[in-house]
Amino acid sequence: MKGPSSALLGLDTLIKIRQNQLGFYADMRARFGDTVPLRLGPYRSWLLFHPDQIEVVLASKAKKFIRFERMMNVLRQWNGESLFIAEGQSWHDRRRKVLPAFAQKKMPAYEAVFQQVAEDWVTHLSKEAGRDGAIHLDADDTFAQIALNIALRTLFGGGFSKGMDQVSAHIKVLSDVAFRECASPLTLPDYCPLPGKRRKKAAMAFMRDLVRDLVEDRFTGPVGDDLLQVLIETHAGDKQEICDDAMSLLIAGHETSGAALSWIFALLADHPSALAQCQSEVARTDDVQDMSYLRAVVDEALRLYPPGYTLFLRQATEDVDIV
Protein backbone atom coordinates (compact mmCIF):
# COMPACT_ATOMS: atom_id res chain seq x y z
CA MET A 1 0.00 0.00 0.00
CA LYS A 2 1.21 3.45 -0.87
CA GLY A 3 1.55 6.40 1.47
CA PRO A 4 3.62 9.55 1.91
CA SER A 5 7.39 9.26 1.84
CA SER A 6 9.08 8.29 5.09
CA ALA A 7 12.52 9.52 4.03
CA LEU A 8 12.68 11.96 6.97
CA LEU A 9 11.25 9.43 9.47
CA GLY A 10 7.92 11.17 9.17
CA LEU A 11 9.09 14.53 10.51
CA ASP A 12 7.76 16.25 7.39
CA THR A 13 4.42 14.49 7.95
CA LEU A 14 4.28 15.69 11.55
CA ILE A 15 4.86 19.25 10.36
CA LYS A 16 1.96 18.96 7.90
CA ILE A 17 -0.30 17.55 10.61
CA ARG A 18 0.54 20.43 12.94
CA GLN A 19 -0.13 22.96 10.18
CA ASN A 20 -3.47 21.61 8.96
CA GLN A 21 -4.54 18.27 10.41
CA LEU A 22 -7.93 17.92 8.71
CA GLY A 23 -6.51 19.11 5.41
CA PHE A 24 -3.72 16.54 5.68
CA TYR A 25 -6.15 13.69 6.30
CA ALA A 26 -8.35 14.76 3.38
CA ASP A 27 -5.30 14.87 1.12
CA MET A 28 -4.17 11.39 2.21
CA ARG A 29 -7.64 9.95 1.54
CA ALA A 30 -7.80 11.57 -1.89
CA ARG A 31 -4.31 10.43 -2.92
CA PHE A 32 -4.04 6.96 -1.41
CA GLY A 33 -7.55 5.66 -0.67
CA ASP A 34 -9.05 4.11 2.46
CA THR A 35 -5.84 2.66 3.95
CA VAL A 36 -2.75 4.84 4.25
CA PRO A 37 0.51 3.76 5.94
CA LEU A 38 2.44 6.49 7.76
CA ARG A 39 5.81 6.73 9.42
CA LEU A 40 5.67 9.11 12.40
CA GLY A 41 9.08 9.11 14.06
CA PRO A 42 9.49 5.73 15.79
CA TYR A 43 5.86 4.76 15.14
CA ARG A 44 4.43 2.82 12.23
CA SER A 45 0.94 4.20 11.81
CA TRP A 46 -2.10 3.70 9.60
CA LEU A 47 -4.89 6.03 8.57
CA LEU A 48 -8.14 4.08 8.17
CA PHE A 49 -11.04 5.81 6.43
CA HIS A 50 -13.56 3.13 5.53
CA PRO A 51 -16.45 2.60 8.01
CA ASP A 52 -15.85 -1.19 8.00
CA GLN A 53 -12.25 -0.65 9.09
CA ILE A 54 -13.30 1.76 11.82
CA GLU A 55 -15.90 -0.74 13.07
CA VAL A 56 -13.17 -3.37 13.49
CA VAL A 57 -10.95 -1.04 15.52
CA LEU A 58 -13.63 0.51 17.69
CA ALA A 59 -16.07 -2.39 18.05
CA SER A 60 -15.54 -5.96 16.85
CA LYS A 61 -11.82 -6.17 17.76
CA ALA A 62 -11.67 -3.27 20.21
CA LYS A 63 -10.11 -5.43 22.94
CA LYS A 64 -6.96 -5.74 20.83
CA PHE A 65 -6.39 -1.99 20.95
CA ILE A 66 -5.60 0.61 23.57
CA ARG A 67 -5.55 4.36 23.18
CA PHE A 68 -2.21 5.70 22.00
CA GLU A 69 -0.01 5.69 25.11
CA ARG A 70 1.94 8.84 24.29
CA MET A 71 -1.26 10.80 23.91
CA MET A 72 -2.75 9.38 27.11
CA ASN A 73 0.41 10.28 29.03
CA VAL A 74 0.07 13.88 27.85
CA LEU A 75 -3.60 14.08 28.85
CA ARG A 76 -2.95 12.30 32.16
CA GLN A 77 -1.00 15.36 33.32
CA TRP A 78 -4.24 17.17 34.15
CA ASN A 79 -6.90 14.44 33.87
CA GLY A 80 -5.28 12.07 36.34
CA GLU A 81 -6.50 8.46 36.33
CA SER A 82 -9.99 9.43 35.22
CA LEU A 83 -12.59 7.76 33.04
CA PHE A 84 -11.04 9.73 30.20
CA ILE A 85 -7.72 7.89 30.66
CA ALA A 86 -8.70 4.46 31.99
CA GLU A 87 -8.46 1.33 29.83
CA GLY A 88 -9.95 -2.16 29.89
CA GLN A 89 -11.78 -3.30 33.01
CA SER A 90 -10.87 -0.13 34.85
CA TRP A 91 -12.64 1.88 32.14
CA HIS A 92 -15.71 -0.36 32.31
CA ASP A 93 -15.85 -0.03 36.09
CA ARG A 94 -15.54 3.76 36.06
CA ARG A 95 -17.99 4.11 33.19
CA ARG A 96 -20.56 2.07 35.09
CA LYS A 97 -20.16 4.37 38.08
CA VAL A 98 -20.94 7.56 36.16
CA LEU A 99 -23.82 6.17 34.08
CA PRO A 100 -26.42 7.30 36.67
CA ALA A 101 -25.48 10.88 35.82
CA PHE A 102 -26.85 10.30 32.32
CA ALA A 103 -30.01 8.44 33.26
CA GLN A 104 -33.10 9.30 31.25
CA LYS A 105 -34.85 10.75 34.30
CA LYS A 106 -32.17 13.45 34.58
CA MET A 107 -32.51 14.63 30.99
CA PRO A 108 -35.39 17.12 31.55
CA ALA A 109 -33.31 19.04 34.11
CA TYR A 110 -30.34 19.13 31.74
CA GLU A 111 -32.54 20.17 28.84
CA ALA A 112 -33.83 23.08 30.87
CA VAL A 113 -30.23 24.24 31.37
CA PHE A 114 -29.48 23.86 27.67
CA GLN A 115 -32.51 25.91 26.73
CA GLN A 116 -31.78 28.68 29.21
CA VAL A 117 -28.14 28.96 28.14
CA ALA A 118 -29.16 29.05 24.46
CA GLU A 119 -31.73 31.77 25.10
CA ASP A 120 -29.22 33.81 27.09
CA TRP A 121 -26.69 33.62 24.26
CA VAL A 122 -29.27 34.52 21.63
CA THR A 123 -30.11 37.62 23.67
CA HIS A 124 -26.42 38.47 24.12
CA LEU A 125 -25.55 38.02 20.44
CA SER A 126 -28.63 39.96 19.34
CA LYS A 127 -27.43 42.94 21.34
CA GLU A 128 -24.01 42.68 19.69
CA ALA A 129 -25.42 42.54 16.15
CA GLY A 130 -25.31 45.53 13.85
CA ARG A 131 -28.29 47.35 12.39
CA ASP A 132 -28.44 44.85 9.54
CA GLY A 133 -28.68 41.99 12.02
CA ALA A 134 -25.21 40.69 11.13
CA ILE A 135 -22.54 39.85 13.67
CA HIS A 136 -18.93 38.85 13.14
CA LEU A 137 -17.50 36.41 15.67
CA ASP A 138 -15.15 33.50 16.17
CA ALA A 139 -17.57 30.58 15.90
CA ASP A 140 -15.23 28.08 17.56
CA ASP A 141 -14.71 30.37 20.54
CA THR A 142 -18.40 31.24 20.83
CA PHE A 143 -19.62 27.65 20.73
CA ALA A 144 -16.89 26.62 23.18
CA GLN A 145 -18.12 29.32 25.56
CA ILE A 146 -21.70 28.11 25.20
CA ALA A 147 -20.72 24.49 25.82
CA LEU A 148 -18.56 25.49 28.79
CA ASN A 149 -21.44 27.43 30.32
CA ILE A 150 -23.65 24.35 30.02
CA ALA A 151 -20.95 22.02 31.37
CA LEU A 152 -20.33 24.21 34.41
CA ARG A 153 -24.01 24.46 35.25
CA THR A 154 -24.83 20.79 34.74
CA LEU A 155 -21.67 19.51 36.42
CA PHE A 156 -21.42 21.90 39.34
CA GLY A 157 -24.88 23.42 39.51
CA GLY A 158 -23.57 26.94 38.95
CA GLY A 159 -21.83 27.17 42.31
CA PHE A 160 -18.48 28.76 41.50
CA SER A 161 -16.00 30.45 43.80
CA LYS A 162 -13.44 31.72 41.29
CA GLY A 163 -13.40 34.00 38.26
CA MET A 164 -15.09 31.84 35.66
CA ASP A 165 -14.07 34.27 32.93
CA GLN A 166 -10.61 32.67 33.16
CA VAL A 167 -11.77 29.07 32.85
CA SER A 168 -12.14 29.07 29.07
CA ALA A 169 -8.72 30.68 28.56
CA HIS A 170 -6.98 28.11 30.76
CA ILE A 171 -8.75 25.19 29.08
CA LYS A 172 -7.71 26.53 25.68
CA VAL A 173 -4.10 26.59 26.89
CA LEU A 174 -4.34 22.93 27.89
CA SER A 175 -5.92 22.03 24.53
CA ASP A 176 -3.07 23.73 22.70
CA VAL A 177 -0.55 21.96 24.93
CA ALA A 178 -2.15 18.57 24.26
CA PHE A 179 -2.01 19.03 20.49
CA ARG A 180 1.51 20.44 20.52
CA GLU A 181 3.00 17.77 22.78
CA CYS A 182 1.25 14.91 20.97
CA ALA A 183 2.30 16.15 17.53
CA SER A 184 5.92 16.91 18.43
CA PRO A 185 8.77 14.39 18.12
CA LEU A 186 10.40 15.85 21.24
CA THR A 187 8.83 17.45 24.31
CA LEU A 188 10.93 19.65 26.55
CA PRO A 189 10.59 19.12 30.32
CA ASP A 190 8.22 21.40 32.21
CA TYR A 191 10.98 22.91 34.35
CA CYS A 192 12.38 24.73 31.30
CA PRO A 193 11.90 28.50 31.88
CA LEU A 194 9.86 29.09 28.74
CA PRO A 195 6.66 31.15 28.36
CA GLY A 196 4.70 28.15 27.06
CA LYS A 197 5.75 26.04 30.05
CA ARG A 198 4.70 28.80 32.45
CA ARG A 199 1.29 29.05 30.78
CA LYS A 200 0.85 25.29 30.94
CA LYS A 201 1.70 25.08 34.65
CA ALA A 202 -0.52 28.06 35.46
CA ALA A 203 -3.45 26.52 33.58
CA MET A 204 -3.01 23.13 35.26
CA ALA A 205 -2.79 24.72 38.70
CA PHE A 206 -5.85 26.92 38.11
CA MET A 207 -8.04 24.05 36.93
CA ARG A 208 -6.93 21.68 39.68
CA ASP A 209 -7.54 24.28 42.37
CA LEU A 210 -10.91 25.17 40.87
CA VAL A 211 -12.18 21.58 40.75
CA ARG A 212 -10.73 20.72 44.18
CA ASP A 213 -12.37 23.74 45.80
CA LEU A 214 -15.73 22.97 44.22
CA VAL A 215 -15.54 19.37 45.42
CA GLU A 216 -14.56 20.48 48.93
CA ASP A 217 -17.42 23.00 49.00
CA ARG A 218 -19.89 20.26 48.12
CA PHE A 219 -18.62 18.01 50.92
CA THR A 220 -19.18 20.76 53.47
CA GLY A 221 -22.28 22.32 51.87
CA PRO A 222 -25.76 21.19 50.87
CA VAL A 223 -26.37 18.14 48.70
CA GLY A 224 -26.78 19.02 45.03
CA ASP A 225 -28.71 17.58 42.11
CA ASP A 226 -26.02 17.58 39.45
CA LEU A 227 -23.22 15.50 37.97
CA LEU A 228 -20.86 16.37 40.80
CA GLN A 229 -23.25 14.87 43.34
CA VAL A 230 -23.48 11.70 41.26
CA LEU A 231 -19.69 11.46 41.18
CA ILE A 232 -19.50 11.89 44.95
CA GLU A 233 -22.01 9.12 45.50
CA THR A 234 -20.66 6.67 42.92
CA HIS A 235 -17.03 7.14 43.99
CA ALA A 236 -17.99 6.67 47.66
CA GLY A 237 -16.37 9.93 48.70
CA ASP A 238 -12.94 9.24 47.16
CA LYS A 239 -11.94 12.86 46.49
CA GLN A 240 -9.13 12.07 44.07
CA GLU A 241 -11.37 9.95 41.84
CA ILE A 242 -14.11 12.58 42.07
CA CYS A 243 -11.73 15.38 41.09
CA ASP A 244 -10.20 13.39 38.23
CA ASP A 245 -13.55 12.54 36.67
CA ALA A 246 -14.95 16.04 37.26
CA MET A 247 -11.91 17.54 35.52
CA SER A 248 -12.29 15.20 32.54
CA LEU A 249 -16.02 15.75 32.17
CA LEU A 250 -15.57 19.51 32.40
CA ILE A 251 -12.70 19.83 29.90
CA ALA A 252 -13.38 17.05 27.41
CA GLY A 253 -17.15 17.32 27.63
CA HIS A 254 -17.36 20.98 26.77
CA GLU A 255 -14.63 20.91 24.11
CA THR A 256 -16.19 18.11 22.10
CA SER A 257 -19.66 19.65 22.39
CA GLY A 258 -18.38 23.05 21.28
CA ALA A 259 -16.55 21.52 18.32
CA ALA A 260 -19.66 19.57 17.32
CA LEU A 261 -21.74 22.76 17.33
CA SER A 262 -19.14 24.52 15.17
CA TRP A 263 -19.24 21.78 12.53
CA ILE A 264 -23.04 21.54 12.57
CA PHE A 265 -23.47 25.26 11.95
CA ALA A 266 -20.66 25.37 9.37
CA LEU A 267 -22.31 22.57 7.40
CA LEU A 268 -25.74 24.19 7.67
CA ALA A 269 -24.27 27.44 6.37
CA ASP A 270 -23.10 25.55 3.28
CA HIS A 271 -26.48 23.82 2.84
CA PRO A 272 -29.19 26.52 3.11
CA SER A 273 -32.01 24.12 2.21
CA ALA A 274 -31.08 21.86 5.15
CA LEU A 275 -30.90 24.93 7.39
CA ALA A 276 -34.38 26.02 6.31
CA GLN A 277 -35.79 22.56 7.02
CA CYS A 278 -34.20 22.55 10.50
CA GLN A 279 -35.64 25.98 11.23
CA SER A 280 -39.08 24.88 10.06
CA GLU A 281 -38.97 21.77 12.22
CA VAL A 282 -37.88 23.68 15.32
CA ALA A 283 -40.67 26.22 14.77
CA ARG A 284 -43.28 23.43 14.65
CA THR A 285 -42.48 21.71 17.95
CA ASP A 286 -40.81 22.23 21.32
CA ASP A 287 -40.12 18.50 21.77
CA VAL A 288 -36.61 17.52 20.73
CA GLN A 289 -37.76 13.91 20.33
CA ASP A 290 -39.98 15.02 17.44
CA MET A 291 -37.17 16.77 15.58
CA SER A 292 -36.16 13.82 13.40
CA TYR A 293 -34.59 15.94 10.65
CA LEU A 294 -32.49 17.95 13.10
CA ARG A 295 -31.36 14.71 14.73
CA ALA A 296 -30.31 13.39 11.31
CA VAL A 297 -28.35 16.60 10.65
CA VAL A 298 -26.52 16.24 13.97
CA ASP A 299 -25.75 12.56 13.30
CA GLU A 300 -24.40 13.35 9.84
CA ALA A 301 -22.21 16.16 11.13
CA LEU A 302 -20.81 13.83 13.79
CA ARG A 303 -20.17 11.18 11.14
CA LEU A 304 -18.32 13.58 8.87
CA TYR A 305 -16.45 15.50 11.54
CA PRO A 306 -16.34 13.62 14.87
CA PRO A 307 -15.11 16.14 17.49
CA GLY A 308 -12.68 13.75 19.16
CA TYR A 309 -11.13 12.42 15.96
CA THR A 310 -7.62 13.39 16.96
CA LEU A 311 -7.78 12.51 20.67
CA PHE A 312 -8.08 8.75 20.60
CA LEU A 313 -5.61 7.23 18.22
CA ARG A 314 -5.57 3.50 18.79
CA GLN A 315 -2.49 1.39 19.41
CA ALA A 316 -2.63 -2.35 18.67
CA THR A 317 -1.49 -4.65 21.49
CA GLU A 318 -1.09 -7.58 19.07
CA ASP A 319 -1.19 -8.27 15.35
CA VAL A 320 -4.66 -7.52 13.98
CA ASP A 321 -6.20 -8.13 10.55
CA ILE A 322 -8.39 -5.19 9.51
CA VAL A 323 -10.83 -6.69 7.01
Side-chain angles (χ1 to χ4, degrees), residues 91-110:
W91 177 82
H92 282 284
D93 292 343
R94 297 183 77 102
R95 180 177 180 272
R96 187 175 63 252
K97 288 181 179 181
V98 302
L99 279 179
F102 303 96
Q104 188 65 35
K105 64 182 180 180
K106 288 187 172 290
M107 291 302 109
Y110 296 158

Side-chain angles (χ1 to χ4, degrees), residues 83-258:
L83 174 68
F84 193 59
I85 302 298
E87 293 281 0
Q89 190 60 45
S90 174
W91 177 82
H92 282 284
D93 292 343
R94 297 183 77 102
R95 180 177 180 272
R96 187 175 63 252
K97 288 181 179 181
V98 302
L99 279 179
F102 303 96
Q104 188 65 35
K105 64 182 180 180
K106 288 187 172 290
M107 291 302 109
Y110 296 158
E111 289 173 8
V113 173
F114 302 160
Q115 182 174 344
Q116 186 59 58
V117 171
E119 290 176 354
D120 291 346
W121 272 91
V122 168
T123 300
H124 169 70
L125 294 176
S126 297
K127 292 178 179 178
E128 297 292 321
R131 292 183 178 180
D132 59 353
I135 182 171
H136 299 276
L137 49 78
D138 183 322
D140 284 340
D141 182 65
T142 298
F143 287 123
Q145 289 279 357
I146 292 172
L148 177 60
N149 197 336
I150 291 172
L152 288 169
R153 292 176 61 177
T154 54
L155 182 56
F156 298 113
F160 317 122
S161 58
K162 287 193 175 184
M164 288 297 97
D165 56 331
Q166 302 179 60
V167 175
S168 182
H170 285 300
I171 292 177
K172 188 176 188 305
V173 168
L174 295 180
S175 297
D176 292 341
V177 167
F179 179 76
R180 185 172 62 253
E181 292 189 359
C182 290
S184 298
L186 176 65
T187 301
L188 296 174
D190 285 349
Y191 58 73
C192 292
L194 301 172
K197 295 297 183 181
R198 288 194 290 270
R199 287 192 295 271
K200 172 187 174 180
K201 288 188 284 189
M204 289 173 60
F206 179 92
M207 294 303 299
R208 284 174 177 165
D209 289 347
L210 169 67
V211 172
R212 186 193 63 242
D213 290 349
L214 290 168
V215 170
E216 291 288 351
D217 288 347
R218 180 59 57 84
F219 270 90
T220 59
V223 174
D225 184 25
D226 50 28
L227 292 177
L228 178 56
Q229 192 64 42
V230 172
L231 292 178
I232 290 173
E233 294 169 1
T234 56
H235 286 310
D238 186 317
K239 292 183 180 179
Q240 189 58 57
E241 288 192 346
I242 296 165
C243 287
D244 287 347
D245 277 347
M247 178 79 81
S248 290
L249 288 169
L250 177 59
I251 295 179
H254 105 270
E255 282 198 305
T256 53
S257 297

Side-chain angles (χ1 to χ4, degrees), residues 252-269:
H254 105 270
E255 282 198 305
T256 53
S257 297
L261 287 170
S262 292
W263 282 117
I264 290 167
F265 278 83
L267 289 167
L268 286 173

